Amino acid sequence: MILYYILRPILMGLYRTIYRVKVFGKENLVKKGRRIVVCNHQRKADVYVIGSLYMSRTMFLSKKEWFSNWFNKFVLSCLGAIPVNREKPEISSIKRCLKVLKDEKRLAVFPEGTRNKVNNEIQTLKTGTALFAVKGRAPITPIIIYEGIKPFKRGYAMVGESFDLSEFYDVKFTDEVAAEATKVVEQKMKELQTELFKKVDEINAEKAAKKNKKAAKKADKQNARRT
């Protein structure tokens, strides 16, 4: 735990030097108590976007392949990673995630299960997030990252309002219920993505207008010199 507070400023310094991510909706962040943070996933650096929003440690799921050597295992464990088999999640991993919530801590999940390298669409979500949210009775905070962040380029992300799956708390968690609850999470993420894309479109339109205005002024000056 102490090592986390040593590593965090180093990693955050590197992150902020390489990536320029503007985050909207920070007022929706809830920094205390049990909570699941869900986010779309397109780049390895996405986890740093989440980590930059919280000072305290956020536990997060990471594919077990990342724990293949002792150094990775040591560093990732210090940062709060929980190894998981993406093809067949083990009971021990599920129990660890539920214990995080039971202990009133924060769990970050990329519910698409893997990075989306194809397009900007929210991919079909795995049902694990719904399982954690229902069994752990934890509210969910959605975060959407715009088109995957890239080094030394302006990136965007948005934090949405928290919601819960309380309508599923007292019913048997069957496959059908898991699918229905997952649809709620997916819909919330898609709504937030639409809101973020609209915001970025407005920003880009404003930039284009300023650029055109500047070009028009330059053209007017050139014309004035010729006359």
Side-chain angles (χ1 to χ4, degrees):
M1 189 67 173
I2 295 176
L3 186 57
Y4 167 79
Y5 289 104
I6 296 174
L7 290 174
R8 186 184 187 279
I10 297 172
L11 294 174
M12 287 300 102
L14 289 172
Y15 161 72
R16 293 191 174 95
T17 299
I18 298 172
Y19 298 99
R20 299 166 53 241
V21 182
K22 182 175 180 60
V23 181
F24 303 103
K26 287 184 178 181
E27 66 276 7
N28 292 321
L29 289 172
V30 180
K31 299 185 178 182
K32 293 184 178 179
R34 71 177 66 185
R35 185 156 304 268
I36 296 174
V37 178
V38 295
C39 184
N40 62 326
H41 197 21
Q42 292 177 298
R43 299 285 190 275
K44 292 179 181 178
D46 294 342
V47 68
Y48 293 108
V49 177
I50 297 174
S52 69
L53 297 173
Y54 301 95
M55 181 62 70
S56 60
R57 186 166 68 163
T58 299
M59 307 298 288
F60 62 94
L61 295 180
S62 178
K63 62 181 182 179
K64 68 176 185 179
E65 289 82 357
W66 284 108
F67 292 75
S68 58
N69 64 69
W70 70 268
F71 180 77
N72 283 350
K73 182 177 181 179
F74 175 72
V75 173
L76 288 171
S77 297
C78 289
L79 293 176
I82 299 173
V84 62
N85 184 331
R86 293 182 299 177
E87 302 301 323
K88 190 178 180 181
E90 299 163 342
I91 296 297
S92 59
S93 297
I94 295 173
K95 286 183 176 179
R96 283 190 65 183
C97 291
L98 291 176
K99 188 176 187 309
V100 168
L101 300 173
K102 182 180 179 180
D103 292 342
E104 298 296 328
K105 296 179 181 178
R106 190 169 48 250
L107 177 69
V109 181
F110 295 105
E112 293 166 293
T114 188
R115 281 177 288 154
N116 176 7
K117 302 177 183 179
V118 180
N119 53 42
N120 298 315
E121 301 290 331
I122 299 293
Q123 303 299 293
T124 301
L125 306 188
K126 306 295 184 182
T127 58
T129 300
L131 171 67
F132 301 144
V134 173
K135 295 296 184 180
R137 299 194 173 222
I140 300 170
T141 298
I143 296 175
I144 293 295
I145 299 172
Y146 181 81
E147 294 188 345
I149 59 174
K150 298 177 182 179
F152 308 109
K153 292 187 178 181
R154 170 61 73 188
Y156 299 96
M158 180 173 281
V159 182
E161 294 183 0
S162 295
F163 63 96
D164 60 45
L165 300 177
S166 54
E167 63 266 39
F168 303 103
Y169 284 177
D170 298 314
V171 300
K172 186 176 180 180
F173 197 78
T174 62
D175 290 344
E176 291 74 18
V177 169
E180 189 176 348
T182 300
K183 284 183 180 178
V184 175
V185 179
E186 187 173 315
Q187 184 60 36
K188 292 290 187 180
M189 291 181 69
K190 287 182 175 179
E191 289 174 358
L192 183 61
Q193 185 181 56
T194 298
E195 185 179 350
L196 175 58
F197 274 48
K198 182 180 178 181
K199 182 74 172 178
V200 175
D201 285 344
E202 291 173 352
I203 292 172
N204 290 337
E206 185 177 343
K207 286 182 178 178
K210 288 181 179 179
K211 185 177 180 179
N212 291 337
K213 186 176 180 180
K214 186 176 180 180
K217 285 184 177 180
K218 184 176 180 180
D220 289 343
K221 289 181 179 179
Q222 291 175 342
N223 292 332
R225 293 193 191 102
R226 294 192 188 102
T227 58

